[in-house]
């Protein structure tokens, strides 16, 4: 009797153990199947939220709902939508960078939801599914590339090669096609910075820390080549990098990153696009407080001889050539420049073989600021707006002390120049001066069609209906003297004035080519928008 009872008790224990095991197996199945299913559904839902936010940043809630409706995963809906602005600033907490209802609506925060079914877990929790939600924030970035003073039509002949070679301190042997290719190659500044971090092994540096380091100019130009892809201009940049040695540069001396300094990734930052020629000109320009003198001999058809003396530099106070403001505006500037152009032209006047024409031009920095990008299709303001301040300064037909050209703190003080003299003691002098005034920025609007056509627009400080040399020639005061005695009503005076007037267009051509290559214009600023890219949305949170 006892043995039978004991056997029954043992069988009951086994049943209890088996029942407990089945319960544990059900729990394990719940973990393995249901939790895995919920995790996968959460991942899929987050992907849909990211895509919906990207769509909403460009098209609002309707675009987000349309994308969700086209998703192959059913049962997903938009539970909340907020339009606002996003500030990509590392000093602001992540949770506070998106401001609902603020700004221009270029950012959107979308939340989506979906009910995911449960299988084994419904036996334990008594529910047939769980509600999942996912949120994403995306910001739209509109980008443009523009240049100040670099026009493809102006980059002709060997002048760009001569100027860049002098700035680089070595012969670069750039052809006309090379110069035009560099002027049309648009580079993203932060993309160049990323390539520079990789090349120098500074991958952990924020952009500001990288720009504060002394970096060989050859590495900077090589990084430009790395970011240019496999184009012909990339090969030209690589060649230039190999020829420039022994020079270092702090990029922060010429580029003020402003609020982008603390960033270590281009994600969420403004696109800072520059053409390679302008970037080279910035990198090769002289450091603060110094100058680069150039003494060039040019062959110009129609002129007997032409000597160009050019000094680029600044005084003790120098503004960066590129600045990013707290509003994410981009500002381009040119260098202060002094130009002395001494030409001579053959004369048919009796006793005068040649007439000498010395011109002196002093120009402050010109500036172009990206003030607005409007991607609203069909609107009157669609396109890009630049605030342009032309270069101010003065120009004179007169004599100067060329040895003092490099000292920007000392005025040149032009004075009447000797234009011609004869063996019989007749001396002809002349003087004229033009002030290039105007300090107010002027708004220049580029429509999408003008951008596609690569149209160049000129902003002038005053209404110069003629070129600078022609304007000086029309104002020149010619004086004829014989043995130190002024001769009034000399027939040589109008004859010299006429010769200056007919020669002036040739000299204007040289001046325009020089200043266009440097980005410093004679009382004007030439600006061009290379491209406009609208609606580049990025997930930021």
């Amino acid at each position: 009797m006892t043995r039978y009872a004991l056997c029954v008790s043992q069988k009951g224990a086994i049943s209890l153990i088996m029942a407990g095991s089945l319960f544990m197996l059900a729990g394990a199945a719940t973990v393995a199947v249901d939790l895995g299913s919920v995790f996968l559904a959460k991942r899929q839902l987050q992907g849909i939220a990211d895509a919906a936010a990207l769509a909403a940043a460009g098209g609002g809630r309707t675009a987000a709902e349309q994308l969700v409706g086209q998703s192959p995963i059913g049962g997903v809906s938009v539970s909340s939508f907020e339009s606002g602005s996003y500030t990509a600033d590392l000093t602001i907490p992540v949770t506070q960078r998106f401001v609902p209802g603020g700004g221009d609506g270029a950012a959107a925060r979308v939340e989506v939801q979906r009910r995911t079914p449960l299988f084994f877990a419904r036996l334990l929790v008594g529910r047939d599914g769980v509600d999942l939600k996912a949120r994403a924030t995306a910001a739209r970035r509109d980008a443009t590339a523009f240049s100040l003073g670099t026009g493809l039509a102006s980059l002709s002949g060997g002048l760009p090669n001569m100027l860049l070679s002098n700035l680089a301190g070595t012969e670069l042997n750039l052809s006309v096609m090379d110069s035009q290719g560099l002027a049309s190659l648009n580079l993203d500044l932060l993309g160049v910075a990323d390539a520079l971090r990789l090349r120098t092994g500074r991958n952990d540096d924020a952009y500001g820390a990288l720009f504060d380091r002394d970096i060989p100019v050859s590495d900077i130009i090589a990084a430009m080549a790395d970011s240019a892809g496999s184009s012909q201009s990339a090969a030209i940049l690589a060649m230039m990098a190999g020829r420039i040695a022994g020079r270092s540069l702090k990029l922060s001396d010429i580029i003020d990153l402003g609020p982008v300094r603390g960033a270590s990734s281009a994600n969420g930052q403004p696109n800072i696009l520059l053409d390679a020629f302008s970037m080279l000109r910035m990198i090769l320009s002289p450091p603060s407080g110094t100058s680069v003198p150039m003494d060039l001999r040019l062959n110009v058809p129609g002129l007997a001889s032409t000597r160009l003396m050019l000094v680029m530099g600044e005084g003790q106070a120098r503004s960066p050539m590129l600045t990013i403001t707290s509003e994410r505006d981009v500002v381009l500037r040119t260098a202060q420049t002094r130009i002395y152009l001494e030409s001579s032209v053959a004369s048919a006047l009796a006793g005068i073989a040649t007439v000498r024409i010395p011109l002196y031009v002093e120009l402050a920095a010109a500036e172009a600021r990206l003030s607005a990008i409007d991607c609203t299709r069909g609107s009157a303001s669609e396109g890009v707006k630049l605030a342009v301040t032309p270069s101010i300064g003065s120009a004179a037909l007169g004599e100067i002390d060329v040895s003092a050209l490099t000292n920007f703190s000392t005025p040149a003080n032009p004075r009447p120049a000797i234009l011609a003299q004869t063996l019989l003691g007749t001396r002809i002098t002349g003087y004229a001066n033009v002030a290039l005034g105007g300090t107010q920025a002027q708004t220049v609007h580029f429509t999408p069609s003008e951008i596609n056509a690569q149209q160049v627009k000129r902003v002038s400080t005053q209404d110069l209906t003629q070129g600078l040399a022609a304007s000086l020639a029309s104002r020149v005061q010619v004086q004829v003297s014989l043995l130190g005695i002024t001769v009034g009503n000399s027939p040589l005076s109008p004859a010299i004035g006429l010769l200056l007037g007919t020669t002036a267009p040739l000299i204007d051509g040289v001046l325009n080519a020089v200043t266009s290559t440097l980005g410093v214009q004679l009382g004007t600023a030439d600006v061009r928008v290379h491209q406009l890219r609208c609606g580049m949305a990025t997930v930021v949170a």
Side-chain angles (χ1 to χ4, degrees):
M1 183 70 179
T2 304
R3 181 180 298 175
Y4 178 76
L6 181 59
C7 292
V8 172
S9 176
Q10 289 175 342
K11 290 180 180 180
I14 292 173
S15 298
L16 290 174
I17 293 173
M18 290 183 65
S21 298
L22 290 174
F23 186 82
M24 293 176 63
L25 287 173
T30 299
V31 173
V33 177
D34 286 313
L35 290 186
S37 175
V38 170
F39 178 78
L40 177 61
K42 180 68 174 178
R43 290 282 301 273
Q44 292 174 334
L45 194 63
Q46 186 61 57
I48 296 174
D50 291 345
L54 289 172
R61 178 165 189 151
T62 301
E65 291 177 340
Q66 288 177 349
L67 185 138
V68 169
Q70 296 170 359
S71 171
I73 301 174
V76 181
S77 62
V78 176
S79 57
S80 69
F81 170 84
E82 294 174 299
S83 176
S85 62
Y86 180 83
T87 303
D89 191 339
L90 295 181
T91 62
I92 301 176
V94 176
T95 56
Q96 299 177 16
R97 295 179 188 176
F98 176 80
V99 179
D104 55 2
R109 184 161 60 193
V110 177
E111 185 179 76
V112 295
Q113 65 182 8
R114 177 197 179 198
R115 186 168 182 83
T116 300
L118 297 176
F119 301 99
F120 296 101
R122 69 176 62 188
L123 301 175
L124 301 177
V125 300
R127 291 188 297 173
D128 62 354
V130 293
D131 293 322
L132 300 179
K133 292 185 177 181
R135 174 185 290 182
T137 303
R140 187 182 71 246
R141 293 185 300 164
D142 302 326
T144 186
F146 66 97
S147 63
L148 173 61
T150 301
L152 290 177
S154 300
L155 298 180
S156 58
L159 192 56
N161 172 63
M162 295 173 66
L163 293 174
L164 284 184
S165 294
N166 273 270
L167 286 174
T170 184
E171 178 56 49
L172 299 176
N173 294 319
L174 298 179
S175 68
V176 176
M177 293 298 294
D178 293 340
S179 301
Q180 291 180 336
L182 292 172
S184 60
L185 173 64
N186 296 320
L187 298 176
D188 188 321
L189 179 63
L190 297 186
V192 174
D194 289 337
L196 186 59
R197 287 195 300 192
L198 184 62
R199 178 171 283 272
T200 59
R202 303 288 182 180
N203 295 328
D204 296 331
D205 277 0
Y207 293 126
L210 178 71
F211 278 34
D212 285 338
R213 297 185 182 276
D214 278 309
I215 300 175
V217 172
S218 58
D219 282 346
I220 299 173
I221 299 178
M224 293 171 59
D226 293 341
S227 64
S230 57
S231 63
Q232 178 63 30
S233 294
I236 296 170
L237 290 169
M239 175 275 294
M240 294 177 64
R243 295 189 179 183
I244 300 175
R247 295 177 56 185
S248 295
L249 169 71
K250 285 184 179 180
L251 286 171
S252 57
D253 287 339
I254 59 173
I255 299 173
D256 181 1
L257 290 175
V260 183
R261 281 185 55 85
S264 56
S265 169
N267 186 30
Q269 303 301 330
N271 279 68
I272 309 160
L273 301 175
L274 286 171
D275 68 84
F277 194 93
S278 295
M279 194 176 293
L280 279 172
R281 193 173 57 212
M282 291 166 54
I283 293 170
L284 296 176
S285 290
S288 180
T290 63
S291 59
V292 174
M294 306 178 198
D295 195 343
L296 310 174
R297 303 288 176 170
L298 308 178
N299 293 320
V300 181
L303 298 177
S305 65
T306 303
R307 180 190 185 191
L308 171 66
M309 297 188 70
L310 179 69
V311 181
M312 295 177 60
E314 294 276 348
Q316 293 302 312
R318 174 175 175 174
S319 299
M321 291 188 178
L322 185 149
T323 299
I324 304 170
T325 71
S326 59
E327 292 80 19
R328 293 302 197 273
D329 291 340
V330 178
V331 182
L332 284 180
R333 300 181 183 88
T334 61
Q336 183 177 345
T337 304
R338 284 179 167 182
I339 300 172
Y340 180 68
L341 184 66
E342 183 178 315
S343 303
S344 63
V345 59
S347 167
L349 300 176
I352 300 176
T354 58
V355 174
R356 176 173 168 265
I357 308 172
L359 295 182
Y360 172 71
V361 183
E362 182 162 332
L363 298 171
E367 179 181 291
R369 176 189 296 266
L370 173 61
S371 57
I373 300 177
D374 189 340
C375 290
T376 306
R377 289 187 176 275
S379 68
S381 58
E382 182 183 5
V384 176
K385 289 183 179 180
L386 303 178
V388 183
T389 304
S391 175
I392 60 174
S394 62
L397 191 158
E399 203 79 68
I400 64 165
D401 181 6
V402 295
S403 63
L405 275 177
T406 57
N407 188 357
F408 280 87
S409 62
T410 302
N413 295 324
R415 56 189 181 275
I418 299 175
L419 305 182
Q421 52 188 345
T422 68
L423 295 176
L424 299 178
T426 301
R427 174 177 292 185
I428 304 171
T429 59
Y431 179 77
N433 192 290
V434 174
L436 306 173
T439 59
Q440 297 299 317
Q442 302 178 42
T443 299
V444 183
H445 178 215
F446 287 84
T447 65
S449 60
E450 290 171 336
I451 296 172
N452 292 334
Q454 295 291 281
Q455 182 172 336
V456 177
K457 294 191 177 184
R458 170 164 291 187
V459 180
S460 301
T461 58
Q462 62 182 29
D463 296 328
L464 289 177
T465 57
Q466 300 171 306
L468 183 61
S471 296
L472 288 170
S474 66
R475 293 175 170 87
V476 69
Q477 298 174 352
V478 178
Q479 181 175 304
V480 180
S481 61
L482 177 61
L483 301 177
I485 302 174
T486 301
V487 179
N489 299 321
S490 171
L492 289 176
S493 296
I496 291 294
L498 179 62
L499 182 63
L500 293 176
T502 56
T503 307
L506 300 176
I507 300 175
D508 276 326
V510 177
L511 288 172
N512 290 335
V514 172
T515 56
S516 294
T517 305
L518 292 175
V520 187
Q521 297 296 294
L522 305 174
T524 64
D526 285 347
V527 287
R528 178 164 60 105
V529 176
H530 298 272
Q531 65 178 217
L532 170 64
R533 294 187 289 176
C534 293
M536 297 183 299
T538 304
V539 175
V540 293

